Amino acid sequence: MPHGHRFRHLFMHGDGSMTGWFGDPEHYERFATRLQHRLRTRVATDVAALRLPAGAHVLDVGTGPGRLPVEIARRSPQVWVTGLDVSPRMIEAAKAAIEPGQQVIAEVGDVAKLPYRDGSVDLVVSTLSQHHWPDRAAALAELARVLAPGGRIWIYDLRRALRTAQVAAAVAFPGSDVRVEPVRSGVLGRLLGRLTVQPAGVPV
């Protein structure tokens, strides 16, 4: 059986929800522990290096069981972090993962219909979720709406899966620096890339 069909029940989510095997937070957590721990650490470290000001809003799209927002909050306790996922079961797990005193919120929502004000998000991150988005153009347009002036977007995914999103990002963010960079992190290694969107001329 071709690999694409063999793993379809794990990775294909027609409506963008965490259905099938990954729809169970415990199964997802076992996968994430083995394959995403280094990536999660890398993302949280990169966020901390930005030295965002107190009260800045970081949005994690496709948060799953919410491990990344918790990790970001540990390294950047001055920011507010929202974990967003279309799956109520995942958000239930994400709420349980929040540590006392952390400025972290977990809520159900759709990247194509974000429940946030225009210009209210300073940084958007997403890890291995983008390839589940049914309408990448609509998703990137929504991210453009909620992103604050000078804000950034970091979307981590398999590099081949980022091609459509890169095109959509170039349309949604005219004049911005839109690129896909290689990511060396954990088991996924050379397969990963990071789609970055930021104002032109700003250092990566």
Side-chain angles (χ1 to χ4, degrees), residues 115-134:
Y116 310 117
R117 301 189 314 274
D118 294 2
S120 61
V121 177
D122 299 287
L123 173 65
V124 176
V125 297
S126 181
T127 56
L128 298 176
S129 168
Q130 174 271 152
H131 59 272
H132 301 312
W133 301 352

Side-chain angles (χ1 to χ4, degrees), residues 67-141:
R67 300 304 180 191
L68 180 56
V70 168
E71 200 65 37
I72 291 173
R74 287 174 182 164
R75 288 170 166 75
S76 304
Q78 79 281 9
V79 306
W80 282 94
V81 190
T82 300
L84 186 84
D85 202 282
V86 294
S87 167
R89 290 187 68 192
M90 286 295 182
I91 290 303
E92 195 175 307
K95 288 179 178 178
I98 298 171
E99 298 172 355
Q102 288 190 326
Q103 299 185 124
V104 176
I105 299 170
E107 56 189 2
V108 176
D110 185 344
V111 65
K113 298 178 182 178
L114 293 171
Y116 310 117
R117 301 189 314 274
D118 294 2
S120 61
V121 177
D122 299 287
L123 173 65
V124 176
V125 297
S126 181
T127 56
L128 298 176
S129 168
Q130 174 271 152
H131 59 272
H132 301 312
W133 301 352
D135 189 339
R136 292 171 181 81
L140 269 298

